[in-house]
Amino acid sequence: MPAKGKHRRVRNSALARRVLAIGTGGAALALPVIGAATAHAAPAAAPAAAVVQAKTAAPAAAKAAPATYSVVLGDTLSKIARSHELAGGWKSLYEANRAAVGADPSLIRPGLKLSVAQAAAAPEPGAVPAVAKAAPPAAAPAVAKTAYADNLDGWIREALDVMARNGIPGSYEGIHRNVMRESSGNPLAINNWDVNAVNGTPSKGLLQVIDPTFQAYHVAGTSTDSYDPVANIVAACNYAADRYGSIDNVNGPY
């Protein structure tokens, strides 16, 4: 709603002298004014005041209405979180709906109503610094990159960190158990005898992923080489989350 400027009517006398300040940016020019003939110039400041009031009131209208999603057959929390682009992925979705979902986030029934609303943090009115042009802050010290061992333990731990940033569920135990069954921990393992191999897409890597699946569930920021141990684990866990809810739910061929 546009703001209305209020102005005080100035009483003028034929013998009184007034000073009218006309603002242009931060400068002001003082002019002598005699009598009431020039009093009508005062409302010129009104539009600026209206703009300030309108800008101050704007954040109040930015609040979004709550949103819900009805679970359908085949849904997982990970899949719903990705489709709604929820910050924090399936974990934040589960925390927001723990009471409705229950103790097991991998079990959600069709028809269940989930809250998928995300409240965007709006700046508080008047929180703009008084000084518009401040000196740039000193450069923050560089954050040391986490070092991971170049072995199965290190690959799993690095993969878990990538998964956490992308909202992909899974635990160390669930990944390790499936790696040992599928490849015995050999990142260059390949299956050249099963039906996938016959079809020209042999299973590869730590979690024995075929190329079409790896490409479909590849996570940005990881290697595009399906033999890369971290990229292979993350893509496989992304696929398992979409199909089974989590790699932790996989206990055999998948």
Side-chain angles (χ1 to χ4, degrees):
M1 179 181 292
K4 295 182 179 178
K6 294 184 179 180
H7 309 284
R8 184 186 302 276
R9 179 168 297 177
V10 180
R11 295 183 179 179
N12 295 279
S13 170
L15 297 180
R17 297 179 62 87
R18 297 288 186 269
V19 176
L20 173 63
I22 302 176
T24 305
L29 177 63
L31 298 176
V33 181
I34 301 177
T38 55
H40 63 277
V51 171
V52 172
Q53 292 179 14
K55 287 184 177 179
T56 302
K63 295 181 179 178
T68 58
Y69 173 79
S70 182
V71 174
V72 298
L73 188 64
D75 271 344
T76 64
L77 293 183
S78 177
K79 184 176 181 180
I80 297 169
R82 283 199 305 276
S83 66
H84 287 81
E85 299 180 347
L86 299 182
W90 74 273
K91 292 183 179 179
S92 65
L93 180 60
Y94 176 55
E95 289 303 322
N97 296 275
R98 183 186 291 268
V101 174
D104 190 347
S106 65
L107 297 178
I108 55 175
R109 64 182 185 280
L112 180 66
K113 301 292 184 182
L114 300 177
S115 172
V116 294
Q118 285 186 294
E124 290 294 330
V128 179
V131 180
K133 293 183 179 180
V143 178
K145 186 177 180 180
T146 303
Y148 302 95
D150 189 21
N151 55 28
L152 181 57
D153 178 75
W155 301 331
I156 293 176
R157 293 186 187 282
E158 184 174 357
L160 285 169
D161 284 348
V162 175
M163 290 161 59
R165 292 195 298 269
N166 288 274
I168 301 171
S171 68
Y172 186 102
E173 187 280 329
I175 294 172
H176 188 273
R177 168 168 42 83
N178 283 283
V179 165
M180 297 310 294
R181 184 189 66 253
E182 295 292 335
S183 67
S184 298
N186 178 10
L188 299 180
I190 182 170
N191 185 322
N192 287 315
W193 56 266
D194 68 2
V195 65
N196 290 320
V198 172
N199 292 333
T201 56
S203 304
K204 302 176 181 178
L206 288 175
L207 283 170
Q208 292 292 282
V209 184
I210 61 176
D211 283 342
T213 300
F214 178 82
Q215 292 160 10
Y217 290 91
H218 173 260
V219 173
T222 62
S223 173
T224 55
D225 180 2
S226 61
Y227 283 110
D228 179 87
V230 174
N232 187 279
I233 292 173
V234 174
C237 288
N238 196 19
Y239 163 74
D242 193 25
R243 186 164 182 183
Y244 303 102
S246 171
I247 190 70
D248 295 345
N249 299 330
V250 177
N251 293 289
Y254 65 112

